[in-house]
Amino acid sequence: MNYTLLAALFVGLASSLGLIVIINAVSGVSARYKERYLQETAVVVDDVLLSMPPSRVLDFSLIFAAVGAFAAVGGVGYYTGSLNWPKIIIFGLIGAVAAFPLPRIYLGFLRKQRLRKFNEQLEDALLSMSSSLKAGFSINQALEVIADENRHPISFEFSLLIQELRLGVTLETALDNMSKRLDCPDFELVAVSILTARQTGGELTATLERLAGVIRERVRITARIRALTAQGRMQAVIIALMPFALFFAMMNIVPDMMTSFFSTVAGVLSLLAVIILVVIGFLTIRKITNIDI
């Protein structure tokens, strides 16, 4: 009896220590993920010029995850007519994981739209700078002309550049900061050309005009490629939505069969496999249709 009690005490102690280790590991992983999430979100928020702390985006992500989990569990309960703990946990996790990244996805969409608009405005900005240089302006005055045109977002970015120059930052450093902030290959080419022309004494006006022509051609080719790959991108969306549309259709046509199917472990695992394969297929098609020039 004493040995049994001693064994039970050791088992309880080992279980408690194991639980503490698991809690510490989970808390450490969640803390590191939260820190990385906030850092990446801060960069995206700064890029789209939102006056919002990154922690607020994380709060929105958690709210979306909770709403997604509630909607998934409620939808399954509505269609199947019964709920149990395995269903609640599995479908709640699926809904939460699917809804959690939605705020970040929307911010990424805003960032791409802003960068695309900047690229479209960069051609006219280079031609305007070239005309200003031909009129006898200095490079700083030519940059101020772009900043004063009040065209979002390019005027705002050039305004930040001018502010750095007025604070005593060198042109090379200011252009490098702007290139890192925008992460735009076209502007990196412009910055390198301006600095090279200043160091070698080349004709900057002709260089800017040639760059404007190159950017114009890239924008034209990019628009052409987007038009040619529009069908492929639409196919990716249709293929991704088709299994879910078929799922809801079958739930309305033969609800008894679908209820019995998802009441088993094999059925739930099959649903998870389908979701993973659909996501992989969607990302693969988007990767194929995303042509970089």
Side-chain angles (χ1 to χ4, degrees):
M1 191 65 182
N2 293 331
Y3 288 113
T4 303
L5 180 60
L6 185 62
L9 291 175
F10 277 112
V11 169
L13 180 61
S15 301
S16 300
L17 293 176
L19 183 61
I20 293 174
V21 171
I22 292 174
I23 292 175
N24 289 333
V26 171
S27 62
V29 171
S30 62
R32 289 193 297 270
Y33 176 77
K34 181 180 179 180
E35 182 179 359
R36 190 181 71 176
Y37 182 91
L38 293 177
Q39 291 176 353
E40 295 176 353
T41 304
V43 175
V44 180
V45 169
D46 291 338
D47 289 340
V48 297
L49 304 178
L50 287 179
S51 57
M52 178 186 298
S55 58
R56 185 64 56 84
V57 179
L58 178 60
D59 294 337
F60 280 120
S61 298
L62 294 176
I63 292 173
F64 272 80
V67 173
F70 179 78
V73 173
V76 171
Y78 174 78
Y79 280 104
T80 61
S82 62
L83 283 176
N84 49 38
W85 282 111
K87 282 185 180 181
I88 294 174
I89 295 174
I90 293 175
F91 288 100
L93 288 175
I94 293 174
V97 171
F100 181 80
L102 290 180
R104 282 283 300 273
I105 292 175
Y106 180 67
L107 288 178
F109 171 76
L110 293 179
R111 182 182 184 182
K112 289 182 179 179
Q113 291 294 106
R114 187 172 183 272
L115 181 59
R116 184 179 304 168
K117 192 173 181 180
F118 179 88
N119 286 334
E120 293 174 353
Q121 296 174 347
L122 186 58
E123 175 197 346
D124 295 334
L126 294 178
L127 294 177
S128 178
M129 288 175 59
S130 177
S131 300
S132 299
L133 293 174
K134 288 180 179 179
F137 288 14
S138 65
I139 182 63
N140 290 359
Q141 291 173 334
L143 294 173
E144 288 181 4
V145 170
I146 306 302
D148 294 337
E149 288 182 353
N150 196 21
R151 289 190 302 163
H152 185 77
I154 193 167
S155 294
F156 182 83
E157 294 294 340
F158 275 83
S159 298
L160 294 179
L161 177 64
I162 294 299
Q163 290 178 7
E164 290 186 354
L165 294 176
R166 290 174 179 173
L167 291 173
V169 179
T170 62
L171 181 61
E172 180 179 1
T173 304
L175 289 174
D176 183 62
N177 293 337
M178 187 172 175
S179 299
K180 292 179 180 179
R181 184 169 63 249
L182 289 172
D183 194 18
C184 175
D186 290 339
F187 185 78
E188 290 179 3
L189 185 61
V190 173
V192 171
S193 301
I194 293 175
L195 296 176
T196 303
R198 282 172 58 88
Q199 293 172 359
T200 60
E203 189 178 358
L204 185 56
T205 57
T207 302
L208 293 177
E209 290 176 355
R210 286 194 294 269
L211 284 176
V214 171
I215 293 173
R216 184 190 309 113
E217 192 66 16
R218 286 188 61 175
V219 171
R220 186 188 66 82
I221 294 175
T222 302
R224 179 65 175 168
I225 290 175
R226 286 184 59 83
L228 294 175
T229 58
Q231 182 178 359
R233 295 197 304 273
M234 182 58 66
Q235 287 176 351
V237 175
I238 294 175
I239 291 174
L241 294 179
M242 190 177 298
F244 300 101
L246 181 62
F247 168 77
F248 288 110
M250 293 295 291
M251 289 297 295
N252 289 305
I253 296 173
V254 283
D256 296 335
M257 183 184 71
M258 297 299 293
T259 300
S260 59
F261 177 73
F262 288 110
S263 298
T264 61
V265 177
V268 175
L269 293 178
S270 300
L271 178 61
L272 293 176
V274 167
I275 293 175
I276 294 173
L277 292 176
V278 167
V279 172
I280 293 175
F282 175 78
L283 295 178
T284 302
I285 296 176
R286 289 298 299 268
K287 183 67 176 179
I288 293 173
T289 57
N290 187 16
I291 302 174
D292 190 14
I293 60 172

